[in-house]
Amino acid sequence: MPELVYPSVILFAKTMFRVLDLKLRVEGSEHVPARGGAVIACNHVSYLDFVFCGLGARPAKRLVRFMAKKEVFDHRISGPLMRGMGHIPVDRAAGRGAYDEAVARLRSGEVVGVFPEATISPSFTVEDVKSGAARMAAQAGVPLVPMAVWGTQRLWTKGRPRTLTRRHLPISVLMGEPLRPGPGDDPEAVTRDLRDRMSLLLDKAQAEYPEAPAGPADLWWLPAHLGGTAPAP
């Protein structure tokens, strides 16, 4: 069945980025396979991360099916869009069904996106990472691609007002070399490796970010270890 909703949403997003002149940097997209299944595991600093994570896979001409909490699918506006784009609802009280659906999608050759911290990180660092991404990749026999986004928290994050019309904002999306977990690998060890790789990518994105806070009131979007006022992990 032809994709109708997803390409339209991508076109709309790219149009808005051009209007706002967002400075989008995408690096490492060659690590997203051009065909076959893959899990993309990304850090989480913003409500908009799925948009930019998805765009990170576009150079490989892949559409990413994200796992997201069921409540997003229940919303009258976001729900039809999420279903139309083929994303995967997660009922946190009964998550096995979503897990099995994701594995089936991976085995059929799709790319599944996961935020393994399971929630937005208030510290803007990579916090505790769940092992589901590693387990899915191993069970489906697909690569596990680490990803980091940075700058999106300045548009819309937990506990801060939305600034969706902000112009000229730099956004970084970095991908690293895939892990290739097998059925005999310890998922907890793979998850520790994944977290380390995500953290290194995020460190790189932060170190190379072209803007600094404008003053003390703007330090909120930097993590504490970089002199910001975000809470420590």
Side-chain angles (χ1 to χ4, degrees):
M1 191 167 78
E3 296 278 355
L4 298 176
V5 177
Y6 214 146
S8 299
V9 171
I10 291 172
L11 179 60
F12 174 78
K14 287 183 174 180
T15 301
M16 290 303 300
F17 296 161
R18 284 195 292 269
V19 169
L20 297 175
D21 192 26
L22 297 184
K23 308 299 184 183
L24 183 61
R25 170 197 176 194
V26 176
E27 181 179 300
S29 57
E30 68 275 9
H31 296 305
V32 179
R35 61 185 62 84
V39 177
I40 291 179
C42 188
N43 71 311
H44 204 5
V45 295
S46 165
Y47 291 111
L48 301 176
D49 288 339
F50 75 96
V51 176
F52 295 94
C53 292
L55 287 175
R58 288 309 294 152
K61 296 182 170 57
R62 303 305 302 270
L63 296 175
V64 183
R65 315 298 180 176
F66 286 97
M67 302 183 74
K69 61 184 180 181
K70 178 179 175 292
E71 290 79 1
V72 178
F73 291 78
D74 294 336
H75 191 273
R76 63 184 180 85
I77 296 175
S78 62
L81 289 173
M82 295 293 282
R83 287 189 291 272
M85 288 186 282
H87 298 316
I88 304 169
V90 179
D91 183 346
R92 294 186 179 183
R96 183 70 198 192
Y99 177 92
D100 291 343
E101 172 69 15
V103 171
R105 299 279 196 97
L106 292 166
R107 286 173 169 165
S108 72
E110 294 201 47
V111 178
V112 172
V114 178
F115 297 105
E117 294 164 285
T119 189
I120 291 174
S121 166
S123 67
F124 304 139
T125 64
V126 182
E127 299 201 8
D128 289 340
V129 170
K130 309 294 184 184
S131 63
R135 294 175 188 275
M136 287 190 299
Q139 187 172 340
V142 300
L144 174 58
V145 182
M147 176 185 278
V149 295
W150 184 246
T152 56
Q153 77 279 16
R154 300 177 68 190
L155 290 171
W156 189 14
T157 193
K158 188 179 293 186
R160 301 291 304 187
R162 287 173 290 184
T163 55
L164 300 180
T165 58
R166 185 164 187 164
R167 294 175 58 81
H168 316 304
L169 187 71
I171 303 289
S172 302
V173 183
L174 278 61
M175 287 145 280
E177 187 173 342
L179 293 84
R180 300 186 181 276
D185 293 332
D186 177 5
E188 299 300 334
V190 175
T191 299
R192 288 192 294 271
D193 191 3
L194 172 65
R195 183 183 181 277
D196 289 345
R197 295 187 188 209
M198 290 168 61
S199 295
L200 287 172
L201 289 170
L202 183 58
D203 289 345
K204 184 175 190 292
Q206 291 168 341
E208 297 174 353
Y209 195 67
E211 290 189 4
D218 203 33
L219 287 169
W220 66 267
W221 57 266
L222 271 189
H225 74 276
L226 293 179
T229 56

